[in-house]
Amino acid sequence: MNIHRCRFVPYPPSTINALAFSHPSTNSRKGGPPSTLRLAVGRANGDIDIWNPLKGAWFHETTLKGGKDRSIEGLAWTQEPDEEDENGAILDGKLRLFSIGYSAAVTEWDLSLGKPIRHTSGNYGEIWCLAAQPKWQAMTKEPNKLPAAEGEFRGQNIVVGCADGAVVLLSTADGDLKFHRSLSRASAKKARILSITFQNRFIVIAGCADSTIRVFDTRSGQILRSMSLGSGPTGGPKEILVWSVKCLSNGSIVSGDSTGEVRFWDGKNYTLSQRLKSHRADVLDLETSMDGNTVISGGMDRRSIVYKRVGTGKGQDRRRWAKVLHRRFHSHDVKTMATFEAKNFSVIASGGIDTTPVIIPLREFGLEYHQTLPGLPQYPAVQSAPEKRLLMSWWEREVWIWRISRPNRNSSSDDEADTSSSPSGRKLVAKITLSSEESITSASLSANGGILAVSTVADVKIFRLRERRSVSEDILRVNKLESDLFPLNAGGKLVQFSPDARWLFVIDNSSRVCVIRITHHAERQDGDDPTNNVGIYPRGIRLERLNRHRGGSKSNSIGALGNYDRVISRLAFSLDSRIVVVGDLSGYLDSWVLEGHDDTQPIEEDTEGDDSSSEHSFSEGNDYSRATTKARPILGQQWIRNPSASLLPKLPSAPIILSFRPPPSTNPHQHTHDLPVGENRLLVLTSEHQMYEFEVLEGRLSAWSRRNPSQNLPDAFRGTRARAMGCIWDTNAGTQRLWLYGSSWIWMLNLSKDFRVFAGDSLTNKKGIRKKRKHNEIEERKCTSGAGSRIHDSELETGIGRKILKTTGLDKEPEWVSLETPHRSDIEVDEGGQEASALVTLRREIGQGGDDNDMQGAGAAKDLVVKGRQLGRSAWWSTYKYRPIMGMVPIGLPHDDGKELAGGRRAHASQDPEVVLVERPLWDVDLPPRYHGDQEWVK
């Protein structure tokens, strides 16, 4: 593979200002967190990233886009009271997400639509902080819990602190968001409310900018107590800023301030209990454990410090606090933290100016590694037009397009071409800035580089790109194509052109699939209108998805997240543009096929096509409510539901990669009245890194996928932390190589070979059948509490170790005894199972379901199983050389390196795929100056 390693894309990563988990910590006996647990990450550019913990895999599901001059400064989740359906089953209440950002408004977001649904503001100042009321709980002990009193509100209200000193309580009753009462009005001093939290459902603790912590009662609206922190240090500001306040499970209060001190306050008489000078600069945020025995703080000095109770005093409240240890997980200020704990899940999420979220083990701090999540978009914000050697990237409201030069083969001995150091390696040919205030949600560039589609939550814009070359310049002329089609005026979250640039698929904000026909006419002369050769057909189609029944065991997730799991996140075309597949967050796949022939001459518009329940037509000026129930062909073609669509199974998790395997040969301009009969094998990689390949038109697994189940993938690949972002196929010289990439790795899987049935010779018998075994070295270090892998005993830096040597008497042999509870990695498992492995081996030996497209015969497959280790090496390859990766896209066409050797032969490199790999290292990003303490010389 020929790689253009690029670092010139000026994508601006955004600071993390707020973090919030969707659920409070729970002491339930269930092993893991609830399936609806999500982490919201608020950034300075107004975006909110939604992450799914996914058993420690941490999958980025979607991003709620912001807009011009918007910022997220605070986040809070609430949950409506549980409900009971007609069958007596308890349904979890609906989850609601709220945000603030440099204004007097609180915004509520709809996760399904990906945009705000309501705002509230009042006669108070700019909001600086917010907090959600704790969930309602019965007041009596088990087992005789009493229901809520008559008229008692069981929901969660929102309290906000303002810059003018006001503290306001907002009501979330009846699914609304409105003003309820003021707890503190603006004072003459206008002491800003910098931090706020609930001590219980009725007591609010607020940290102020005048060296004071105030206590409010939401029932009476009065101030109960004011706790003074005194004056600032000598030579510094007089006032102390209380940047963070939190409450422990016993009601005690913890505060972090601008002096670098963490103070502990008695929660009953509101007096100071203890103070610790632990940070060298401001303490910006605090978090506490569920049992109230651990506190962690983060500040401007980049430190994350852990405090625990020590001593043997009577009662938990009498034990003193001590600093245990500190780490530097971030390279800049630690601005925000959030925590969640369950039985087998205990993590702290932290973020700051360095733009990368970090997941830190809480209960196992020092015994497990932390995990750094990518700070770049996980849906690549990079695309290319290989025919024209164009590279496109987008962010906020801008789209930039470069033309990549052909590599200079004489400048390096390897196959890597660095275009970042040579100005002649690329040329900025177009730069588009949208006039709207909404940020870009998606963009698509046609393969021929002639059309560009850009979507926001408000509208979709289509541009025509035309080359204008001269001796002195190489730029693209950009012209907007006008149309009144409803999808273009309603906005969308995903847009993509078909490979032949004749169809534009728009996934609107409600995850409805809309199809727009792009018309192509004969090229005009230079004096004519430059947009006349490309147009938008005045009628579009809305495709209907299969109705999925999600009752039964999924009723809880439906009640908490609504239709969020039906949000479409991925879309893929076949290379001949005649099959399209979409996947949603729940794991369902919907597919359609294109039938008919392409007729460039418009046919009679009143000619109705076949009645199909999967299509609806709409014309210019019409919305979905006026869509016709009978779909008519557009220029002789129409999209119909795949007859085998219902046979495709539900995936165990959301798909992150959908890609059709390239056929040995194809004619992209061949169109007939029949359904597609060529290559229709769809490769799917899920968020849990499980790989499947489906024959879409038959609705079944392919022969290759039946011979190679997901558990046969290399252990190192399945244990990779960062999720995959995209893929590139290499089918030259009769190979079938799949190049996968994530934010910090590149993997090559040779799909022309079968993977080994077993993980190692020492764990198999002569027939290659996997036996029941303990986890290998990689799996032993997988996460146990939701963060990073388990630290090996030899690498521990804290404590006295995990085991002690126990000796009982002189006659008995000493034995090693573990000091901790068994972890999941210590349990014997049989991932594939002997029966499954035997079935895979049998399929390979007899060649069940084999076809001409399988590059490996039955005999070779049998040899592969027997030799195992020898042939397995050539079946995959990986590297961690490139990071952080923003995207990797193909550039140029085969046999298009521009160099011809003697005898008319092309250069050898033309046989390999040519790609552009875009990196965005943090050291190349302009960040504000950071704090440097004494004896810190690292810049």
Side-chain angles (χ1 to χ4, degrees):
M1 177 181 288
N2 303 315
I3 298 178
H4 296 265
R5 191 174 186 178
C6 303
R7 292 177 178 172
F8 56 79
V9 177
Y11 180 88
S14 185
T15 296
I16 298 176
N17 289 336
L19 293 167
F21 279 101
S22 58
H23 293 70
S25 298
T26 175
N27 55 4
S28 173
R29 296 181 180 179
K30 296 181 180 179
S35 60
T36 54
L37 179 67
R38 299 295 186 271
L39 172 65
V41 180
R43 297 185 178 272
N45 60 359
D47 293 351
I48 301 178
D49 299 331
I50 304 297
W51 288 81
N52 185 347
L54 201 65
K55 303 176 183 178
W58 292 98
F59 164 54
H60 178 219
E61 291 184 334
T62 186
T63 296
L64 312 178
K65 288 293 184 178
K68 181 181 179 181
D69 298 331
R70 301 177 195 173
S71 177
I72 302 297
E73 298 298 322
L75 291 169
W77 293 81
T78 65
Q79 189 170 14
E80 298 294 307
D82 297 343
E83 300 178 356
E84 185 175 344
D85 64 7
E86 61 277 4
N87 299 325
I90 301 299
L91 302 180
D92 290 344
K94 179 183 178 182
L95 288 170
R96 302 171 65 182
L97 176 61
F98 302 90
S99 70
I100 58 172
Y102 289 140
S103 68
V106 178
T107 302
E108 181 178 358
W109 295 81
D110 190 312
L111 298 184
S112 301
L113 299 178
K115 61 181 182 180
I117 55 175
R118 61 175 57 90
H119 306 270
T120 184
S121 59
N123 188 22
Y124 40 82
E126 182 180 280
I127 298 175
W128 276 60
C129 54
L130 84 165
Q133 188 178 20
K135 295 185 66 174
W136 177 89
Q137 294 180 356
M139 300 300 295
T140 58
K141 297 182 179 180
E142 295 281 2
N144 300 316
K145 284 188 176 182
L146 296 177
E150 183 178 356
E152 181 182 357
F153 178 63
R154 295 181 55 186
Q156 296 177 264
N157 289 327
I158 298 291
V159 64
V160 297
C162 306
D164 57 3
V167 178
V168 180
L169 187 66
L170 304 177
S171 173
T172 62
D174 301 325
D176 202 354
L177 181 64
K178 55 186 178 182
F179 173 82
H180 183 63
R181 73 185 310 169
S182 292
L183 305 182
S184 173
R185 299 185 181 276
S187 60
K189 292 184 177 181
K190 293 186 178 182
R192 299 190 305 274
I193 308 297
L194 301 179
S195 55
I196 199 166
T197 190
F198 277 88
Q199 188 180 24
N200 53 50
R201 278 184 61 86
F202 306 109
I203 303 300
V204 173
I205 311 297
C208 307
D210 60 350
S211 306
T212 305
I213 298 176
R214 294 179 172 86
V215 184
F216 301 91
D217 191 329
T218 60
R219 294 165 293 190
S220 61
Q222 297 179 352
I223 299 180
L224 300 181
R225 188 69 62 90
S226 293
M227 299 177 288
S228 175
L229 279 71
S231 58
T234 305
K238 180 180 179 181
E239 303 291 347
I240 298 177
L241 308 178
V242 184
W243 290 116
S244 180
V245 288
K246 290 294 188 295
C247 292
L248 302 177
S249 56
N250 62 356
S252 299
I253 303 170
V254 188
S255 66
D257 53 55
S258 58
T259 65
E261 290 188 354
V262 174
R263 309 193 187 204
F264 298 87
W265 307 79
D266 188 285
K268 296 180 181 179
N269 52 27
Y270 301 111
T271 57
L272 181 65
S273 300
Q274 187 179 354
R275 55 194 291 184
L276 297 173
K277 175 66 174 178
S278 52
H279 288 267
R280 300 178 181 178
D282 297 39
V283 179
L284 300 181
D285 203 4
L286 295 165
E287 277 299 336
T288 65
S289 63
M290 182 174 55
D291 59 7
N293 290 325
T294 304
V295 173
I296 185 169
S297 63
M300 291 180 60
D301 57 358
R302 297 170 283 152
R303 292 184 177 187
S304 297
I305 302 179
V306 178
Y307 313 86
K308 289 184 177 293
R309 292 183 185 271
V310 297
T312 57
K314 295 182 180 180
Q316 185 183 30
D317 297 343
R318 296 181 178 274
R319 297 169 60 188
R320 304 288 291 176
W321 289 89
K323 171 186 170 182
V324 178
L325 74 166
H326 75 269
R327 292 287 185 272
R328 284 181 176 170
F329 301 109
H330 294 270
S331 60
H332 218 294
D333 299 2
V334 183
K335 297 190 64 176
T336 178
M337 290 180 169
T339 182
F340 178 84
E341 287 188 86
K343 181 179 180 181
N344 293 329
F345 194 91
S346 177
V347 298
I348 292 179
S350 64
I353 296 180
D354 61 2
T355 75
T356 57
V358 177
I359 307 300
I360 307 169
L362 176 55
R363 191 181 302 130
E364 301 293 329
F365 193 94
L367 301 178
E368 294 178 3
Y369 293 105
H370 68 282
Q371 181 177 353
T372 301
L373 303 182
L376 298 174
Q378 292 302 282
Y379 188 88
V382 177
Q383 283 195 14
S384 67
E387 296 181 14
K388 301 296 184 179
R389 302 187 66 85
L390 297 178
L391 172 68
M392 178 188 69
S393 183
W394 65 91
W395 55 86
E396 297 180 358
R397 296 177 297 115
E398 297 183 6
V399 179
W400 289 31
I401 303 177
W402 295 266
R403 192 184 304 276
I404 305 299
S405 304
R406 293 179 175 87
N408 182 9
R409 300 298 176 192
N410 297 326
S411 61
S412 177
S413 58
D414 55 13
D415 289 337
E416 181 179 300
D418 191 346
T419 61
S420 61
S421 60
S422 175
S424 61
R426 81 273 182 183
K427 169 68 175 179
L428 182 64
V429 295
K431 181 179 178 181
I432 303 171
T433 301
L434 302 185
S435 58
S436 63
E437 295 187 354
E438 306 295 335
S439 296
I440 297 173
T441 58
S442 177
S444 180
L445 182 64
S446 62
N448 59 12
I451 319 173
L452 169 66
V454 181
S455 67
T456 68
V457 295
D459 56 9
V460 178
K461 294 180 172 62
I462 303 178
F463 301 93
R464 166 63 171 160
L465 307 179
R466 291 174 58 89
E467 296 185 2
R468 184 174 62 184
R469 294 196 179 191
S470 64
V471 178
S472 59
E473 61 181 5
D474 175 16
I475 61 175
L476 294 178
R477 290 188 293 181
V478 182
N479 300 93
K480 182 181 176 182
L481 300 182
E482 301 292 342
S483 176
D484 293 332
L485 284 178
F486 181 73
L488 302 182
N489 299 323
K493 59 182 62 177
L494 181 62
V495 292
Q496 187 165 334
F497 283 106
S498 61
D500 60 5
R502 297 177 184 272
W503 302 94
L504 173 63
F505 271 64
V506 178
I507 309 301
D508 69 3
N509 297 323
S510 300
S511 289
R512 291 175 293 200
V513 183
C514 310
V515 186
I516 297 174
R517 181 66 158 90
I518 305 298
T519 59
H520 298 263
H521 306 287
E523 292 291 336
R524 306 289 180 175
Q525 300 295 327
D526 291 339
D528 295 338
D529 185 356
T531 63
N532 285 341
N533 60 328
V534 173
I536 302 174
Y537 196 74
R539 182 166 56 87
I541 301 172
R542 176 166 62 89
L543 303 180
E544 290 292 333
R545 303 165 63 188
L546 287 173
N547 184 21
R548 312 288 186 174
H549 298 284
R550 299 180 295 157
S553 61
K554 280 218 160 187
S555 58
N556 286 341
S557 62
I558 293 175
L561 293 175
N563 293 322
Y564 172 68
D565 62 339
R566 292 289 284 156
V567 170
I568 294 177
S569 59
R570 298 295 186 269
L571 184 149
F573 279 97
S574 62
L575 291 186
D576 60 0
S577 304
R578 293 178 62 80
I579 307 176
V580 65
V581 179
V582 298
D584 59 29
L585 295 177
S586 64
Y588 286 113
L589 299 176
D590 291 277
S591 56
W592 297 270
V593 295
L594 182 65
E595 69 171 7
H597 68 279
D598 185 18
D599 188 357
T600 56
Q601 298 298 326
I603 61 176
E604 185 66 28
E605 282 299 311
D606 293 333
T607 301
E608 295 186 358
D610 296 335
D611 187 3
S612 175
S613 61
S614 66
E615 295 185 3
H616 297 276
S617 300
F618 51 86
S619 57
E620 290 187 351
N622 291 353
D623 58 11
Y624 296 121
S625 62
R626 301 178 60 184
T628 62
T629 58
K630 287 187 177 182
R632 294 172 295 180
I634 295 180
L635 299 181
Q637 293 179 302
Q638 65 176 352
W639 289 92
I640 66 171
R641 182 179 296 151
N642 176 20
S644 302
S646 60
L647 299 179
L648 294 177
K650 180 181 180 296
L651 301 173
S653 58
I656 54 178
I657 291 180
L658 298 177
S659 181
F660 282 88
R661 184 189 289 230
S665 61
T666 182
N667 182 5
H669 303 291
Q670 180 180 359
H671 301 284
T672 66
H673 288 277
D674 302 326
L675 295 180
V677 295
E679 182 64 68
N680 66 95
R681 288 186 292 177
L682 174 71
L683 186 132
V684 180
L685 186 68
T686 69
S687 56
E688 295 178 346
H689 275 191
Q690 295 176 322
M691 185 177 293
Y692 306 93
E693 188 179 57
F694 297 102
E695 295 176 355
V696 176
L697 299 182
E698 287 75 21
R700 65 186 182 189
L701 285 172
S702 68
W704 180 90
S705 189
R706 292 195 296 272
R707 296 195 312 268
N708 296 272
S710 296
Q711 61 263 27
N712 285 356
L713 293 173
D715 287 342
F717 174 75
R718 292 189 292 119
T720 301
R721 291 275 172 207
R723 302 294 89 183
M725 297 169 55
C727 71
I728 292 177
W729 289 91
D730 177 11
T731 57
N732 291 324
T735 61
Q736 288 283 330
R737 294 177 179 174
L738 176 67
W739 292 84
L740 297 168
Y741 67 92
S743 60
S744 59
W745 51 263
I746 297 176
W747 269 80
M748 185 279 294
L749 300 177
N750 191 348
L751 303 190
S752 62
K753 297 179 179 292
D754 288 332
F755 297 110
R756 295 179 300 182
V757 180
F758 49 89
D761 295 337
S762 60
L763 299 177
T764 61
N765 58 18
K766 295 181 179 180
K767 294 183 179 181
I769 301 177
R770 183 180 299 182
K771 295 180 178 180
K772 181 174 287 189
R773 61 180 176 85
K774 290 187 177 181
H775 282 188
N776 56 28
E777 183 178 357
I778 295 176
E779 291 163 344
E780 285 182 355
R781 303 179 68 169
K782 284 186 177 180
C783 72
T784 56
S785 66
S789 302
R790 190 170 164 83
I791 300 177
H792 196 274
D793 292 345
S794 61
E795 300 175 3
L796 286 175
E797 299 179 357
T798 60
I800 60 175
R802 294 192 178 99
K803 297 180 180 180
I804 61 173
L805 187 62
K806 180 180 179 181
T807 303
T808 305
L810 300 176
D811 299 335
K812 295 183 179 181
E813 292 290 335
E815 60 178 351
W816 288 98
V817 179
S818 176
L819 296 178
E820 52 189 6
T821 57
H823 291 269
R824 287 172 291 178
S825 60
D826 298 329
I827 302 174
E828 290 189 353
V829 296
D830 183 13
E831 293 183 349
Q834 296 186 17
E835 295 181 0
S837 298
L839 180 59
V840 170
T841 305
L842 181 62
R843 284 172 175 169
R844 296 184 180 186
E845 290 179 350
I846 66 176
Q848 178 180 349
D851 51 44
D852 295 337
N853 292 330
D854 292 324
M855 306 301 295
Q856 194 88 355
K862 183 176 180 180
D863 293 339
L864 185 65
V865 175
V866 175
K867 296 181 181 179
R869 184 180 300 275
Q870 178 181 355
L871 295 183
R873 293 180 179 176
S874 61
W876 57 269
W877 175 87
S878 64
T879 181
Y880 291 85
K881 176 180 179 180
Y882 310 96
R883 61 173 63 189
I885 297 176
M886 183 176 168
M888 186 170 70
V889 293
I891 201 77
L893 297 176
H895 309 285
D896 184 30
D897 59 1
K899 292 186 178 296
E900 185 172 339
L901 304 179
R905 294 182 295 108
R906 287 283 182 176
H908 67 88
S910 62
Q911 298 297 327
D912 299 325
E914 187 180 354
V915 301
V916 172
L917 189 146
V918 180
E919 296 175 293
R920 190 59 171 150
L922 187 62
W923 50 261
D924 202 23
V925 178
D926 292 332
L927 297 177
R930 72 183 186 188
Y931 170 83
H932 290 281
D934 297 337
Q935 299 183 352
E936 292 185 11
W937 299 282
V938 179
K939 296 183 179 180

